[in-house]
């Protein structure tokens, strides 16, 4: 172990630049985005909770997806908005690890929720006669419990590494706290840690992805043997999920790829843009895709507005 290893009481984000008076423009734009995320997701959550016709497994999962979007955004935006206006960008060690936990669990929960939703669509389309017997509220509860617990089991390893490795610096080349950006500050050799971490990350990410691909392969087989009317209804319910899943997988891929490059190898603006894409696009995409494309939710929102 290096004798220069320390336990820093704070970290510094190094990607923020001095934008001058433009920082107020960036702050206003990001605040508007954050308010849009909150408003759009709250509308979907309230609609599902208040409309009894939407108290069905698919809409419960959508509601949980929107709750997770609020959870992840709350872990990033308040601190990010402060940094946009601040001349210094220091974050305390406890708050940094708290932010890291929230952002990483948000990503993990998003992926497992989308996986559970794929299973719901698989049962609804491929086994319609057994849907109500299989997708009971008890089953929904167990699936949601699994969706919350599964990513935490994998992420415990990463959190253990980040909180226990000896560090020789406190400068994070990011706009938020992430596991790998902290581990890279380690005073000890991290090659083995890196390989193990990549294996765990791939296992936790690609297992749900392969399951989703399998379910949609089965759905395509069933649709190919069904009427055009059946295919249209199946597409109507599956398309929002496909768009959301593909969008999030691209976001996660960009985030994982970004963490493996040195700051000199990638333009600072690109790094900041990809970080924002990972934390902004999915929370905006979820309520817009489901709210605009699913007629049941769209109709419930319209009825609520007319009633008001």
């Amino acid at each position: 172990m290096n004798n220069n290893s320390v336990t820093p009481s704070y970290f510094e984000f190094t990607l923020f630049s001095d934008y001058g008076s433009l920082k107020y423009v960036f702050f206003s734009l990001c605040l508007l985005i954050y308010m849009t995320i909150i408003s759009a997701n709250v509308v979907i959550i309230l609609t599902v909770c208040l409309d009894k016709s939407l108290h069905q497994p698919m809409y419960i999962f959508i509601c949980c997806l929107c709750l997770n979007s609020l959870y992840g955004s709350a872990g990033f935006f308040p601190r990010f908005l402060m940094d946009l206006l601040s001349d210094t960008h220091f974050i305390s060690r406890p708050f940094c690890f708290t932010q890291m936990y929230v952002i990483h669990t948000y990503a993990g929960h998003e992926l497992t929720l989308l996986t559970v939703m794929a299973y719901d669509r698989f049962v609804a389309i491929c086994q319609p006669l057994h849907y109500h017997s299989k997708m009971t509220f008890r089953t929904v509860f167990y699936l949601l419990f699994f969706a919350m617990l599964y990513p935490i089991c994998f992420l415990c390893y990463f959190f253990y590494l980040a909180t226990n490795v000896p560090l020789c610096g406190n400068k994070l080349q990011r706009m938020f706290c992430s596991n790998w950006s902290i581990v890279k500050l380690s005073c000890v050799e991290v090659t083995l840690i890196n390989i193990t971490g990549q294996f765990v990350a791939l296992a936790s990410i690609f297992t749900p992805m392969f399951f989703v691909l399998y379910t949609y392969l089965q759905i395509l087989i069933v649709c190919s043997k069904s009427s055009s009317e059946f295919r249209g209804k199946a597409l109507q319910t599956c398309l929002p999920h496909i768009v959301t899943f593909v969008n999030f997988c691209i976001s996660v891929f960009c985030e994982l790829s970004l963490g493996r490059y040195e700051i000199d190898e990638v333009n600072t603006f690109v790094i900041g843009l990809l970080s924002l894409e990972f934390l902004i696009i999915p929370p905006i995409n979820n309520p817009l895709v489901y709210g605009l494309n699913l007629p049941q939710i769209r109709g419930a929102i319209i009825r609520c507005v007319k009633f008001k």
Side-chain angles (χ1 to χ4, degrees), residues 108-156:
H109 292 156
E110 188 90 357
L111 188 59
T112 50
L113 281 171
L114 291 171
T115 304
V116 167
M117 293 172 71
Y119 173 73
D120 174 72
R121 292 300 84 206
F122 166 75
V123 176
I125 295 172
C126 299
Q127 304 171 0
L129 298 179
H130 303 284
Y131 181 77
H132 292 292
S133 62
K134 286 190 173 184
M135 296 301 295
T136 63
F137 280 103
R138 174 176 292 184
T139 304
V140 170
F141 173 79
Y142 288 147
L143 289 173
L144 290 177
F145 181 76
F146 163 78
M148 296 297 107
L149 189 62
Y150 177 82
I152 293 177
C153 292
F154 279 98
L155 290 171
C156 282

Side-chain angles (χ1 to χ4, degrees), residues 1 5-8 11 93 97 157-169 179-190 193:
M1 183 181 296
S5 65
V6 294
T7 303
F11 295 98
R93 183 183 176 92
F97 286 123
Y157 170 77
F158 295 106
F159 297 146
Y160 174 79
L161 288 180
T163 54
N164 286 276
V165 293
L167 305 179
C168 288
N179 176 78
W180 183 242
S181 63
I182 294 176
V183 172
K184 284 196 296 185
L185 299 176
S186 173
C187 300
V188 298
E189 177 60 45
V190 296
I193 295 176

Side-chain angles (χ1 to χ4, degrees), residues 3 14 37-38 68 72 101 161 229 263 292:
N3 292 330
T14 62
I37 290 173
I38 293 176
N68 190 54
Y101 174 84
L161 288 180
E229 181 181 358
I263 188 67
L292 295 177

Side-chain angles (χ1 to χ4, degrees), residues 64-276:
C64 292
L65 203 63
C66 291
L67 282 170
N68 190 54
S69 294
L70 293 178
Y71 168 71
S73 299
F76 170 72
F77 273 99
R79 172 70 205 193
F80 178 68
L81 292 171
M82 289 173 55
D83 281 322
L84 285 176
L85 294 179
S86 177
D87 295 326
T88 58
H89 308 99
F90 298 103
I91 182 171
S92 67
R93 183 183 176 92
F95 194 86
C96 182
F97 286 123
T98 301
Q99 185 186 59
M100 183 182 71
Y101 174 84
V102 172
I103 291 177
H104 283 60
T105 51
Y106 148 74
H109 292 156
E110 188 90 357
L111 188 59
T112 50
L113 281 171
L114 291 171
T115 304
V116 167
M117 293 172 71
Y119 173 73
D120 174 72
R121 292 300 84 206
F122 166 75
V123 176
I125 295 172
C126 299
Q127 304 171 0
L129 298 179
H130 303 284
Y131 181 77
H132 292 292
S133 62
K134 286 190 173 184
M135 296 301 295
T136 63
F137 280 103
R138 174 176 292 184
T139 304
V140 170
F141 173 79
Y142 288 147
L143 289 173
L144 290 177
F145 181 76
F146 163 78
M148 296 297 107
L149 189 62
Y150 177 82
I152 293 177
C153 292
F154 279 98
L155 290 171
C156 282
Y157 170 77
F158 295 106
F159 297 146
Y160 174 79
L161 288 180
T163 54
N164 286 276
V165 293
L167 305 179
C168 288
N170 67 340
K171 296 185 182 298
L172 302 179
Q173 299 171 344
R174 304 303 296 274
M175 290 183 174
F176 58 89
C177 292
S178 65
N179 176 78
W180 183 242
S181 63
I182 294 176
V183 172
K184 284 196 296 185
L185 299 176
S186 173
C187 300
V188 298
E189 177 60 45
V190 296
T191 303
L192 180 61
I193 295 176
N194 183 24
I195 294 174
T196 308
Q198 287 186 10
F199 175 78
V200 174
L202 291 175
S204 61
I205 292 172
F206 281 98
T207 300
M209 286 180 62
F210 282 129
F211 178 80
V212 172
L213 291 175
Y214 169 78
T215 59
Y216 274 103
L217 178 62
Q218 297 301 312
I219 289 173
L220 286 175
I221 293 174
V222 171
C223 289
S224 65
K225 301 177 182 178
S226 305
S227 64
S228 58
E229 181 181 358
F230 181 88
R231 288 196 297 269
K233 291 181 178 180
L235 179 64
Q236 186 182 62
T237 59
C238 290
L239 185 59
H241 181 267
I242 294 173
V243 171
T244 304
F245 182 75
V246 171
N247 170 73
F248 187 72
C249 286
I250 293 174
S251 301
V252 170
F253 176 78
C254 291
E255 168 63 15
L256 292 177
S257 300
L258 182 64
R260 300 299 162 181
Y261 287 98
E262 297 296 331
I263 188 67
D264 296 333
E265 299 177 16
V266 184
N267 184 275
T268 302
F269 177 77
V270 174
I271 293 178
L273 186 63
L274 290 177
S275 296
L276 295 179

